[in-house]
């Protein structure tokens, strides 16, 4: 009887695993979908209650200003600030930067020199001071993610 129960138990476990195992995918990269070379960097932020406009005003002189220069130079494709009007309240602001290619996310002396020719050391120091003296007191970076769009064939 023990052997029958062991066999039945094994059969049940094997059947459960068969149903739990994912089916083999029948989709192929570069045939059915293509990962975009364009990437989006997304930073999620929790701004303290009552400090949203203060933080937004600060971003306009630092983050937005620097991204305008980077966009003019072609280093980035776009940037945006997103409000999160409802949810679990862990995040209420999202910052995104869209890079035209994956290569644009890596270091480049050429891009750095080109950016610095338009963005002075004084502006960097002022931005760093703003981060230390204001931003770190009124917001918390919750996470930074790199997103790559999946382009499905036939869309």
């Amino acid at each position: 009887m023990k052997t029958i129960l062991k066999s039945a138990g094994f059969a049940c476990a094997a059947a459960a695993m068969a149903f739990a195992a994912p089916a083999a995918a029948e989709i192929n990269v570069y045939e059915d979908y293509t990962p975009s070379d364009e990437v989006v960097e997304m930073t999620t932020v929790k701004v303290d209650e009552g400090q949203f406009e203060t933080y937004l005003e600060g971003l306009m002189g630092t983050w937005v200003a620097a991204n305008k220069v980077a966009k003019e130079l072609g280093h980035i494709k776009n940037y945006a600030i997103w409000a999160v009007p409802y949810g679990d309240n862990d995040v209420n602001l999202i910052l995104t930067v869209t890079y035209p290619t994956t290569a644009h996310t890596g270091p480049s002396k050429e891009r750095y020199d080109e950016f610095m020719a338009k963005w002075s050391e004084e502006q960097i120091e002022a931005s760093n001071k703003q981060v230390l003296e204001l931003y770190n007191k009124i917001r918390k970076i919750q996470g930074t993610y790199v997103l790559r769009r999946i382009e499905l064939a036939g869309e």
Side-chain angles (χ1 to χ4, degrees):
M1 184 70 165
K2 272 186 170 177
T3 305
I4 294 172
L5 289 176
K6 271 187 175 176
S7 295
F10 178 75
C12 287
M17 287 187 65
F19 286 113
E26 294 187 24
I27 188 169
N28 298 304
V29 66
Y30 300 113
E31 190 175 310
D32 299 304
Y33 72 95
T34 303
S36 174
D37 193 32
E38 175 183 283
V39 294
V40 176
E41 180 184 78
M42 177 180 76
T43 302
T44 58
V45 183
K46 171 63 175 162
V47 181
D48 291 347
E49 193 171 319
Q51 296 298 320
F52 189 84
E53 284 79 12
T54 302
Y55 186 55
L56 192 58
E57 182 180 25
L59 286 176
M60 291 169 63
T62 57
W63 188 83
V64 170
N67 280 315
K68 279 183 181 179
V69 171
K71 186 175 179 181
E72 288 170 11
L73 294 170
H75 298 174
I76 66 172
K77 190 172 179 180
N78 209 354
Y79 59 93
I81 300 173
W82 305 81
V84 180
Y86 55 86
D88 62 12
N89 206 25
D90 287 338
V91 169
N92 53 13
L93 190 85
I94 296 175
L95 307 173
T96 60
V97 178
T98 304
Y99 294 90
T101 68
T102 304
H104 280 82
T105 64
S108 165
K109 182 172 179 359
E110 180 183 327
R111 284 194 309 272
Y112 174 79
D113 290 343
E114 195 174 37
F115 179 82
M116 290 306 294
K118 290 197 171 231
W119 191 259
S120 71
E121 287 289 334
E122 285 177 9
Q123 288 170 304
I124 288 176
E125 286 178 29
S127 292
N128 289 339
K129 183 177 179 181
Q130 182 88 339
V131 168
L132 292 172
E133 293 180 3
L134 178 64
Y135 296 174
N136 288 343
K137 294 177 182 169
I138 65 169
R139 62 93 169 109
K140 181 171 181 358
I141 302 294
Q142 301 296 79
T144 300
Y145 308 89
V146 175
L147 311 173
R148 183 179 307 281
R149 187 169 42 119
I150 299 296
E151 299 167 354
L152 301 174
E155 286 195 1

